[in-house]
C-alpha cells in the first residue's frame, strides 16, 4: 500500500482546488443547511425535488472556469447532509436521475473535469437527514431534532451504515479513478468506529489505492500514530491555521483550508458578500507559505450556473496565476522569518518574495546578503537589481540583508507583486 507522502505528493504540488456545493438547497437559496436550520419537513423539501431540473448545468463550463483560474483539482458534493444524491445511486430513489434533471450529474462532472486535466474529488456527507435509519431526535442539527413524533421511532443504524458504505462503494466503483474522497463530518459520539470507519477506509483503499481522504471520519491525524481512518490531510474550514498543521512530533501534516467565496457553501441568493481577488490571492499565498492548500468554494444556483461574482473572482485569480503560478505550484513555506512587506513561498533554491507593501525605497530582504544569484519580476521576467543603495549603507542592522530596487511609487501588482529570487546554493 502507498504511503501518505506518496499519495499526497501531487496534492501538495498542485496547491489550489475548486470546491462546489450544489443540490436541492440551491432552490430555496438560503444555504445548504436550510432543511436542518428551518426544521423543514420532508414533504416541503420534496417540492424542490419535483422541480430540480439542472436546466443550465454545464460541467464543462465549470471545468473551463476552474482551469482558467489555475485550479488543479475539484471536489463536488455528491450528497450533502440533506441526503439528496447527485449521482445515480442504486440504493435510493432520492437522486437527481429521478428529478426533472433526469441525469447522473456526478458522471458528467467527472468526465468534464477529467477532460480539462483537473483531478477529481467527491464530497460525501456521512450525515443524512433523509435516511429513515439516521438518528434524528435529539441530534444537534437534524430537522427532526425536537420532533416529538419521532422520539421513539425505531431505527436500525447498522442498516444506515450499510447504505452509507454502499454508496461510497458506488462512487468509487462506477466513475473511474477518483483522486479525493472528501467526507463531512464527524461530531459528538458520531465519529470513528460509530461509522465503522476502519471497515470503510479499507474498502476505499481496496477500490482506489491512490485516493486521498480528508480527516473528517474522526480520529486524530496529528497523533504520533493516527488511526487508520484519520485520513491523509487535515481540513480546516473558513480559517488558515496560524502556524500551519504539524503532528505531535512537529512533523508537517498535509492540510487544505476550504474557504467560501462569499459566506455560504451552498447558493444563497441574498449573500453578495464576496471576497476580493486580492483577498483570495493572499489567502492562497498564506496557505502555501504555511505548507498548505486552498480549496476555494463556489455555490452554483438552482439552474446549475456559477454566479457572476464567483466567475469574476475566479477570472481575476486566474490572471494572477497565469503570471505567477510558479510561486504557488510545487512551492511550500520558507525557513526565513515572515518579512514585513508580505510573505515568502519557496521551491528548492527558488525563493518567491510576495510583496504586498511597497514601502519607501528598496525592498529589504533580511538574512539574504550575498545569497541571491539573480532576481526577476515573476510576472514579466524582467531583471531586478540586487544592490545596497548608498542610503542603506549607513545602517548597521542591514549587514545581513539584501536590497532589491523597485522603480516607481506603486507596486506592479497591488494584489501581490512576486519577485523570483534564485538563491546561491
Ligand atoms: C461546514 C458546513 C458544510 C460544508 C462544509 C465544507 O461543515 O456546515 O455544509 O459542506 O463546511 O467544509
Amino acid at each position: 500500500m502507498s504511503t501518505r507522502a506518496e499519495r499526497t505528493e501531487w496534492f501538495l504540488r498542485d496547491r489550489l482546488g475548486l470546491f462546489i456545493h450544489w443540490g436541492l438547497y440551491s432552490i430555496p437559496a438560503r444555504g445548504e443547511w436550510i432543511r436542518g436550520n428551518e426544521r423543514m419537513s420532508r414533504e416541503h423539501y420534496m417540492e424542490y425535488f419535483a422541480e430540480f431540473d439542472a436546466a443550465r448545468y454545464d460541467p464543462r463550463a465549470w471545468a473551463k472556469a476552474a482551469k482558467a483560474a489555475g485550479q488543479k483539482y475539484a471536489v463536488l458534493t455528491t450528497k450533502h447532509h440533506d441526503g439528496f444524491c447527485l449521482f445515480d445511486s442504486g440504493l435510493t430513489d432520492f437522486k437527481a436521475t429521478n428529478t426533472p434533471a433526469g441525469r447522473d450529474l456526478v458522471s458528467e462532472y467527472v468526465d468534464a473535469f477529467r477532460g480539462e486535466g483537473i483531478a477529481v474529488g467527491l464530497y460525501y456527507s456521512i450525515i443524512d437527514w433523509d435516511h429513515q435509519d439516521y438518528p434524528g431526535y435529539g441530534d444537534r442539527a437534524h430537522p427532526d431534532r425536537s420532533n416529538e413524533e419521532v422520539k421513539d421511532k425505531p431505527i436500525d443504524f447498522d442498516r444506515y451504515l450499510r447504505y452509507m458504505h454502499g454508496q461510497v462503494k458506488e462512487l468509487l466503483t462506477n466513475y473511474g479513478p477518483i483522486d479525493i474522497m472528501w467526507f463531512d463530518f464527524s461530531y459528538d459520539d458520531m465519529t470513528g468506529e460509530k461509522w465503522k470507519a476502519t471497515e470503510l477506509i479499507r474498502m476505499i483503499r481496496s477500490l482506489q489505492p491512490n485516493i486521498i481522504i480528508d480527516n473528517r471520519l474522526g480520529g486524530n491525524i496529528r497523533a504520533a500514530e493516527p488511526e487508520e481512518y484519520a485520513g491523509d490531510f487535515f481540513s480546516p474550514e473558513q480559517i488558515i491555521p496560524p502556524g500551519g498543521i504539524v503532528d505531535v512530533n512537529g512533523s508537517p501534516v498535509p492540510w487544505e483550508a476550504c474557504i467560501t467565496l462569499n459566506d455560504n457553501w451552498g447558493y444563497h441568493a441574498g449573500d453578495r458578500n464576496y471576497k476580493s481577488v486580492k483577498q483570495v490571492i493572499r489567502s492562497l499565498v498564506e496557505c502555501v507559505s504555511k505548507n498548505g492548500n486552498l480549496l476555494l468554494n463556489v455555490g452554483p444556483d438552482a439552474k446549475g450556473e456559477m454566479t457572476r461574482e464567483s466567475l469574476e473572482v475566479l477570472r481575476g485569480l486566474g490572471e494572477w496565476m497565469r503570471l505567477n503560478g510558479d510561486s504557488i505550484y510545487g512551492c511550500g513555506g520558507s525557513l526565513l522569518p515572515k518579512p514585513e512587506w508580505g510573505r515568502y513561498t519557496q521551491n528548492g533554491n527558488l525563493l518567491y518574495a510576495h510583496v504586498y507593501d511597497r514601502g519607501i525605497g528598496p525592498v529589504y530582504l533580511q538574512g539574504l546578503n550575498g545569497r541571491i544569484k539573480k532576481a526577476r519580476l515573476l510576472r514579466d521576467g524582467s531583471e531586478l537589481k540586487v544592490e545596497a543603495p548608498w542610503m542603506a549603507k549607513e545602517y548597521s542592522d542591514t549587514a545581513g540583508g539584501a536590497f532589491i530596487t523597485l522603480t516607481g511609487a506603486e507596486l506592479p501588482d497591488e494584489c501581490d507583486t512576486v519577485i523570483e529570487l534564485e538563491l546561491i546554493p
Side-chain angles (χ1 to χ4, degrees):
M1 185 171 94
S2 60
T3 64
R4 182 176 83 185
E6 289 164 339
R7 289 194 297 272
T8 57
E9 190 274 332
W10 71 267
F11 181 67
L12 298 181
R13 182 186 66 245
D14 287 353
R15 290 296 183 209
L16 176 61
L18 174 68
F19 211 173
I20 307 161
H21 278 70
W22 187 44
L24 296 186
Y25 45 76
S26 303
I27 295 175
R30 299 192 292 278
E32 73 288 354
W33 277 57
I34 173 89
R35 182 151 186 235
N37 289 346
E38 299 183 12
R39 290 176 169 78
M40 199 177 281
S41 70
R42 190 175 198 276
E43 181 188 10
H44 182 170
Y45 207 64
M46 287 306 286
E47 292 172 17
Y48 307 134
F49 182 86
E51 66 179 88
F52 185 75
D53 62 14
R56 291 193 289 275
Y57 173 54
D58 180 0
R60 291 164 306 176
W62 289 4
K64 290 183 187 309
K67 185 172 186 177
Q71 291 162 315
K72 296 289 190 180
Y73 63 94
V75 179
L76 170 68
T77 51
T78 62
K79 185 197 84 168
H80 207 267
H81 310 334
D82 61 358
F84 175 69
C85 299
L86 276 67
F87 62 105
D88 188 17
S89 172
L91 301 177
T92 181
D93 293 331
F94 195 40
K95 58 186 178 179
T97 38
N98 288 351
T99 68
R103 299 146 74 176
D104 185 323
L105 305 170
V106 170
S107 178
E108 292 184 35
Y109 151 78
V110 166
D111 292 345
F113 279 74
R114 275 209 200 100
E116 294 295 335
I118 296 175
V120 167
L122 304 179
Y123 167 110
Y124 181 83
S125 173
I126 50 184
I127 294 167
D128 193 313
W129 295 333
D130 188 71
H131 197 281
Q132 74 273 13
D133 289 317
Y134 193 91
Y137 187 80
D139 183 77
R140 63 157 67 178
H142 194 288
D144 284 339
R145 57 189 176 276
S146 52
N147 179 355
E148 294 298 324
E149 292 176 17
V150 301
K151 183 176 182 180
D152 300 316
K153 184 189 79 168
I155 64 167
D156 178 346
F157 193 64
D158 278 340
R159 185 167 53 191
Y160 169 68
L161 292 181
R162 288 194 298 277
Y163 172 80
M164 188 260 275
H165 286 218
Q167 286 203 317
V168 172
K169 184 171 185 176
E170 288 182 309
L171 288 168
L172 299 184
T173 303
N174 300 337
Y175 300 97
I178 301 299
D179 300 290
I180 302 170
M181 193 73 216
W182 216 102
F183 288 112
D184 189 34
F185 63 96
S186 292
Y187 61 101
D188 305 340
D189 66 344
M190 303 295 277
T191 187
E193 289 308 336
K194 179 79 174 188
W195 308 116
K196 292 187 179 174
T198 300
E199 178 184 318
L200 180 61
I201 283 290
R202 288 177 181 172
M203 180 262 287
I204 291 170
R205 299 217 186 275
S206 69
L207 292 170
Q208 303 262 356
N210 298 317
I211 200 166
I212 60 173
I213 305 164
D214 71 336
N215 67 317
R216 295 192 181 191
L217 285 177
N220 180 5
I221 191 174
R222 297 179 60 186
E225 297 290 334
E227 298 82 352
E228 191 172 338
Y229 55 76
D232 297 307
F233 64 92
F234 198 98
S235 58
E237 67 181 56
Q238 306 290 40
I239 187 172
I240 297 173
I245 302 289
V246 295
D247 68 16
V248 291
N249 297 320
S251 302
V253 172
W255 64 271
E256 168 198 77
C258 52
I259 292 172
T260 52
L261 274 186
N262 52 10
D263 293 325
N264 282 271
W265 300 96
Y267 181 63
H268 191 302
D271 180 355
R272 313 323 289 181
N273 186 31
Y274 286 83
K275 296 170 180 67
S276 65
V277 173
K278 179 193 289 187
Q279 281 176 296
V280 166
I281 289 167
R282 293 189 181 184
S283 298
L284 173 59
V285 170
E286 182 176 356
C287 286
V288 176
S289 75
K290 295 172 179 175
N291 294 309
N293 285 25
L294 174 64
L295 186 65
L296 203 51
N297 182 77
V298 296
D301 65 22
K303 296 301 181 184
E305 284 194 313
M306 291 185 188
T307 64
R308 176 180 49 78
E309 297 92 335
S310 298
L311 290 169
E312 283 172 7
V313 174
L314 291 180
R315 270 194 292 273
L317 171 63
E319 179 56 12
W320 184 87
M321 286 295 288
R322 184 176 69 84
L323 300 174
N324 300 288
D326 286 352
S327 70
I328 298 296
Y329 302 130
C331 292
S334 168
L335 296 177
L336 292 165
K338 181 188 176 303
E340 285 181 341
W341 37 257
R343 293 188 181 277
Y344 285 122
T345 57
Q346 187 158 355
N347 183 357
N349 70 326
L350 292 177
L351 177 67
Y352 295 96
H354 297 263
V355 184
Y356 301 157
D357 177 359
R358 173 67 184 85
I360 299 295
V363 178
Y364 177 60
L365 298 100
Q366 182 181 345
L368 291 181
N369 186 24
R371 293 193 53 202
I372 299 170
K373 183 176 180 183
K374 66 178 181 177
R376 295 289 183 271
L377 186 63
L378 185 58
R379 60 184 285 117
D380 65 6
S382 56
E383 180 182 29
L384 295 174
K385 286 288 185 195
V386 183
E387 56 190 356
W390 64 269
M391 74 290 264
K393 290 192 176 105
E394 298 168 19
Y395 301 101
S396 61
D397 66 354
T398 60
F403 293 84
I404 290 184
T405 305
L406 285 182
T407 55
E410 302 296 326
L411 287 169
D413 185 334
E414 63 97 19
C415 285
D416 175 7
T417 291
V418 186
I419 300 171
E420 182 180 77
L421 302 162
E422 184 178 340
L423 300 180
I424 298 167

